[in-house]
Amino acid sequence: MSLNRYEQTLFDHIERHPEERKHWQWKAQEAGKRTGAPGEVLRGLERELWDYFTERSQHVAALRELSHGGVRRVSLQNLAEYLVRLWGPPPKPRSKPAAPLD
């Protein structure tokens, strides 16, 4: 999975800060448990990541550099999907096909 530079910088920030990582691990686990269309669940997490990015960009130099000249909305959808894959609950195993009746 390829992350854009906003996503990669935000992920690096989260990884370097244990409390932030713990928070987003919990968010990813909760998102993975939600029922509903997977796309809707990921869009919700993506919106939360964007709100987090805009808030932290005021205080974190690496994020502030990305938004030089004002914060411009970019997609963090790949990061949302990556976090759920990385920290969410393991996927349910696929059921085995029924044995052929001979």
Side-chain angles (χ1 to χ4, degrees), residues 52-61 63-64 67 71:
Y52 176 73
F53 176 85
T54 56
E55 189 274 325
R56 296 307 302 155
S57 66
Q58 299 171 18
H59 308 286
V60 178
L63 300 177
R64 189 173 38 249
S67 56
V71 177

Side-chain angles (χ1 to χ4, degrees), residues 77-90:
Q77 191 73 20
N78 286 345
L79 179 57
E81 184 177 343
Y82 181 65
L83 294 182
V84 171
R85 286 183 182 191
L86 184 64
W87 296 325

